[in-house]
Amino acid sequence: MKIEYREIIEKDGKKFLRVTTPSERWYIDQEQKDKPFPSVTWIAGCYPKGIGFYRWLANHGWEESQAIKEAAAEKGGRVHRAIDALFGGAELQITDKFPDNDGVEAEFTLEEWECLMSFRDWWMTLKEQGAESIEGEKTIFNHSLWYAGTMDRKVRIGEDVWIFDFKTGQNVWPEHEIQLTAYKHCEGNEDCTRLGIVQIGYRANKRGWKQTEVVDQPELLAAAYTIWTKENSSKTIPERDYPLTLSLTSEPVGAGDPTIAVGGGASGDGAPAPVIPPKTRRKKP
């Protein structure tokens, strides 16, 4: 969902409401507001998407492909929030309303409901294997590389601790694997041993879901971050000042349009991003 950070500031002896809107590309740590963190999905999206993606893009054209992506984001946002509610013990009804990433609430579509049905089937299958949910829908940070993201779910199965990322799309791209690597290297995830992508509402099999294990790929994360730094390190986060009152008898004061710079370098302090050392890859069982 879109998040607004609001605070009253004083400038030239007058008070204003300052609104900072990170959008999906930024995260803000309340203890370090002057240094926004670029999002994992933004960084991973800089990695080459491969011939399969470009064929899909060519088949649909730019405008149609953007419409498809926006619709997928709306569906994914509602489904992710509903999944978090299910883990919290909620009993959902098909007529329940959940917000998308823009905060727009709506009842579940049949496609979204089918995604939730397939998610339930996946989770009940894992529970038979002794799976236990540890935490999920949590904003996590890497203060070394300087990025942040939202982890979908952390699960213990036997001696392994998994990070799962839920996808409502029919395809898995390399950037999705890089996202999981980025989550693994965030603070608090040192106990993670395995990574998995779970496609729900999957149409290529009868059960409606597909779980794919991916390996830790720090070298690809470092490559994507290098590209992100080259292309985006000077980008700014939207921020605007608003007057506290309005009337027809006097002119409003302020309402300028300043922005916060990301800071030099990928780490937000002028230093190049450190490279995560490659680790021994775990073979798939």
Side-chain angles (χ1 to χ4, degrees):
M1 291 176 62
K2 287 186 177 179
I3 300 174
E4 291 184 349
Y5 295 96
R6 300 187 176 204
E7 59 181 333
I8 302 296
I9 66 163
E10 187 168 329
K11 183 171 62 176
D12 299 328
K14 298 181 176 63
K15 291 185 178 181
F16 302 89
L17 174 67
R18 173 160 290 177
V19 180
T20 306
T21 310
S23 78
E24 72 278 3
R25 290 188 167 189
W26 301 103
Y27 286 83
I28 293 180
D29 185 341
Q30 288 299 292
E31 296 181 358
Q32 295 175 296
K33 292 182 180 179
D34 60 329
K35 289 184 178 181
F37 292 74
S39 75
V40 165
T41 52
W42 188 12
I43 294 168
C46 291
Y47 190 83
K49 297 182 178 3
I51 189 64
F53 173 83
Y54 294 112
R55 282 176 176 168
W56 176 84
L57 187 63
N59 288 336
H60 292 284
W62 180 255
E63 291 187 1
E64 183 181 353
S65 65
Q66 294 307 297
I68 292 173
K69 287 172 62 178
E70 290 175 6
E74 291 177 2
K75 177 182 71 173
R78 256 189 291 273
V79 169
H80 275 72
R81 288 172 182 84
I83 287 174
D84 198 45
L86 286 170
F87 273 117
E91 181 178 76
L92 300 184
Q93 299 185 31
I94 196 171
T95 54
D96 287 341
K97 293 184 178 181
F98 274 79
D100 61 18
N101 290 335
D102 290 325
V104 179
E105 292 191 348
E107 293 183 4
F108 295 116
T109 65
L110 293 181
E111 186 177 8
E112 290 166 346
W113 193 248
E114 288 174 352
C115 285
L116 293 172
M117 291 169 59
S118 64
F119 158 76
R120 182 188 182 280
D121 183 67
W122 167 79
W123 179 244
M124 298 307 291
T125 300
L126 257 64
K127 284 192 71 174
E128 292 177 0
Q129 303 172 25
E132 174 189 1
S133 175
I134 301 175
E135 58 183 348
E137 278 298 308
K138 177 182 178 182
T139 298
I140 50 180
F141 294 87
N142 183 312
H143 286 79
S144 177
L145 272 175
W146 207 264
Y147 64 76
T150 302
M151 177 178 64
D152 284 349
R153 188 60 44 176
K154 194 173 179 179
V155 174
R156 183 182 301 280
I157 307 176
E159 297 182 355
D160 287 308
V161 174
W162 290 73
I163 294 177
F164 285 113
D165 199 41
F166 303 128
K167 301 296 184 187
T168 56
Q170 301 303 305
N171 300 297
V172 171
W173 311 111
E175 65 185 83
H176 297 152
E177 299 180 11
I178 295 174
Q179 286 177 30
L180 280 162
T181 290
Y183 296 148
K184 183 182 187 303
H185 291 280
C186 282
E187 288 94 358
N189 283 339
E190 293 81 6
D191 59 342
C192 172
T193 57
R194 300 174 77 171
L195 307 169
I197 293 173
V198 182
Q199 293 167 268
I200 51 179
Y202 189 64
R203 296 192 293 268
N205 60 35
K206 292 183 178 179
R207 62 188 179 186
W209 57 267
K210 179 182 179 183
Q211 178 179 313
T212 303
E213 183 171 3
V214 300
V215 296
D216 184 18
Q217 302 173 85
E219 68 281 3
L220 296 190
L221 172 60
Y225 211 137
T226 299
I227 298 172
W228 181 90
T229 303
K230 172 68 175 177
E231 299 295 327
N232 300 289
S233 62
S234 62
K235 294 288 178 67
T236 58
I237 185 169
E239 184 177 86
R240 187 172 183 129
D241 293 345
Y242 293 87
L244 298 181
T245 61
L246 291 175
S247 74
L248 299 181
T249 59
S250 62
E251 290 293 327
V253 180
D257 191 19
T259 56
I260 296 178
V262 177
S267 63
D269 59 4
V275 176
I276 300 175
K279 295 186 179 180
T280 303
R281 296 186 178 181
R282 185 188 185 99
K283 292 184 179 181
K284 296 182 179 180

